Amino acid sequence: MHSTKNSIFSAAFTVCLAVLTFAEPWDASVCVRSALIGSSTAGYPFILLAEESATVSKIRLWRTGEKGGSLRGISLGFSDGTSQSAGTSQRTTRRNPFRNDTRARLARVDFVTEKNSWGYGVADTRALTSHAVAVGSGVLVGFQGRAGSGLHQLAPIFLKSVSRARIENIVFDAMPGPNNLRPITLADGFAAWEGKDWTYTFSGSQTRETSSSFNLQNSNQLAIGASVAFDGSGIAKWGGSATWSVASQTSRDRSETKTQLLTWSASVDINEKNPSVRCTAITMEGRVSTGWIGTLTTIIGGRAVRSPISGIYEEISYSQVHTTCGPPPDSSSSTQSTPPTSR
């Protein structure tokens, strides 16, 4: 574009996805590069591009003046903790140090996501021309353009369609043990003989919320929609003795919340030989918080990209209910049930 007129482009994309870093930047075969907006002669060309498996997690822009001047610099923060920049974040107060630099600058950048929208640059957009860009999968990995004392040309770089993302080969820092378990009494009851034989039924139900979540150590956009394959944990309970068990490998969402129905039922004959009984329903609650590492496999444009990933795993789960019935140690401290009245 050979013009001193300011330009504007709008990018509509969905924020989702990212990972850790490899040695090489994203290959051009998996990237969508939009047409460059702005001057093709001012400044010098630049490419800000994340290393493979990382994405843009932060964008910072600078403009001339405090009330909406044209853009003069851009800085990208990536999910692997690195950053790159182009243009300048400082106002030019002396002789222009950038040769081949004209006053053709980009006026404004606007972003629209599923949850939010924002823009930066020239405030009055009535005289500007808006240019939409191709966003591919919506996974932003960089920008390219031309810059000198300002931003003269710019275009985003997105990844092509992401068909599958999966976290696998998971290894935990520590497996849960007895210290991660605690008993919870759901109900207790007492029944007594009053000269008539009868059957006492101790039963009930409660619901509890269970959850499991593979939280990410870094702002990893590619893993946001990823499924997880791992040997699921759980609580096995036999005869009142609870332990953690490991199930066969399962596939699940990275974060799950479910409602678990806990039920119990026991019947006891109340008579002269067994004049009183106390029943208790107990579940074991398990809570886990431990580090994990794994591999994120993402299929992008038909190509498999693998990268390391890590974070904190958290889980809340409950065992099946264990019910015990026996002679009460102190009948005066329990709520007594009496035989049903005959009609």
Side-chain angles (χ1 to χ4, degrees):
M1 175 177 177
H2 300 274
S3 172
T4 59
K5 180 180 180 181
N6 288 328
S7 301
I8 177 175
F9 75 81
S10 302
F13 65 93
T14 301
V15 173
C16 51
L17 351 199
V19 305
L20 305 176
T21 161
F22 271 8
E24 299 294 330
W26 286 101
D27 189 89
S29 64
V30 298
C31 294
V32 175
R33 297 177 184 246
S34 300
L36 290 161
I37 308 302
S39 171
S40 60
T41 58
Y44 297 91
F46 71 85
I47 295 179
L48 311 180
L49 185 59
E51 292 184 357
E52 187 171 273
S53 79
T55 61
V56 174
S57 59
K58 182 183 294 185
I59 302 173
R60 187 174 183 182
L61 295 165
W62 287 271
R63 64 189 177 190
T64 57
E66 298 179 355
K67 296 184 178 181
S70 58
L71 300 176
R72 55 187 170 86
I74 182 172
S75 176
L76 302 182
F78 300 112
S79 58
D80 59 4
T82 62
S83 62
Q84 298 174 19
S85 60
T88 176
S89 60
Q90 304 295 326
R91 295 182 183 178
T92 302
T93 57
R94 298 182 179 180
R95 181 178 60 85
N96 186 355
F98 299 97
R99 294 178 299 171
N100 193 29
D101 191 2
T102 70
R103 293 191 58 80
R105 290 182 177 176
L106 215 67
R108 183 179 176 86
V109 177
D110 286 290
F111 297 89
V112 179
T113 72
E114 286 183 337
K115 296 183 178 181
N116 202 358
S117 61
W118 63 277
Y120 192 75
V122 173
D124 187 354
T125 61
R126 290 175 295 179
L128 303 179
T129 301
S130 177
H131 299 269
V133 298
V135 299
S137 64
V139 187
L140 185 64
V141 293
F143 279 88
Q144 68 182 85
R146 298 180 70 91
S149 60
L151 287 181
H152 306 293
Q153 190 182 56
L154 197 64
I157 303 173
F158 289 91
L159 293 180
K160 293 182 178 179
S161 61
V162 177
S163 59
R164 184 175 72 91
R166 184 180 176 89
I167 299 174
E168 48 200 359
N169 302 325
I170 292 174
V171 177
F172 294 101
D173 289 352
M175 293 301 293
N179 293 336
N180 300 105
L181 298 172
R182 71 183 183 101
I184 296 178
T185 299
L186 301 175
D188 65 273
F190 172 76
W193 184 67
E194 296 184 348
K196 181 179 180 180
D197 297 351
W198 64 293
T199 300
Y200 170 54
T201 300
F202 174 68
S203 62
S205 65
Q206 286 189 21
T207 58
R208 296 287 171 126
E209 188 174 88
T210 65
S211 63
S212 63
S213 179
F214 284 85
N215 302 312
L216 305 178
Q217 185 173 1
N218 295 313
S219 177
N220 195 323
Q221 297 177 41
L222 283 173
I224 290 177
S227 62
V228 179
F230 80 115
D231 295 333
S233 61
I235 305 174
K237 185 170 173 59
W238 302 278
S241 177
T243 60
W244 287 96
S245 66
V246 177
S248 59
Q249 188 171 90
T250 181
S251 180
R252 64 176 66 180
D253 293 337
R254 192 167 61 83
S255 295
E256 288 188 348
T257 300
K258 297 181 179 180
T259 299
Q260 182 176 348
L261 178 63
L262 302 175
T263 63
W264 61 93
S265 180
S267 296
V268 182
D269 292 332
I270 306 298
N271 48 48
E272 188 174 4
K273 293 183 178 180
N274 186 33
S276 62
V277 67
R278 180 178 182 178
C279 294
T280 304
I282 297 176
T283 183
M284 295 298 289
E285 179 189 69
R287 290 181 177 265
V288 179
S289 180
T290 184
W292 62 272
I293 58 174
T295 302
L296 176 64
T297 301
T298 312
I299 307 300
I300 304 172
R303 176 189 169 194
V305 177
R306 294 179 176 84
S307 56
I309 189 170
S310 62
I312 300 296
Y313 176 69
E314 295 180 318
E315 177 183 338
I316 301 175
S317 58
Y318 297 89
S319 71
Q320 294 182 346
V321 179
H322 179 65
T323 305
T324 59
C325 292
D330 182 3
S331 60
S332 63
S333 63
S334 302
T335 301
Q336 179 174 333
S337 294
T338 58
T341 303
S342 301
R343 293 185 179 180

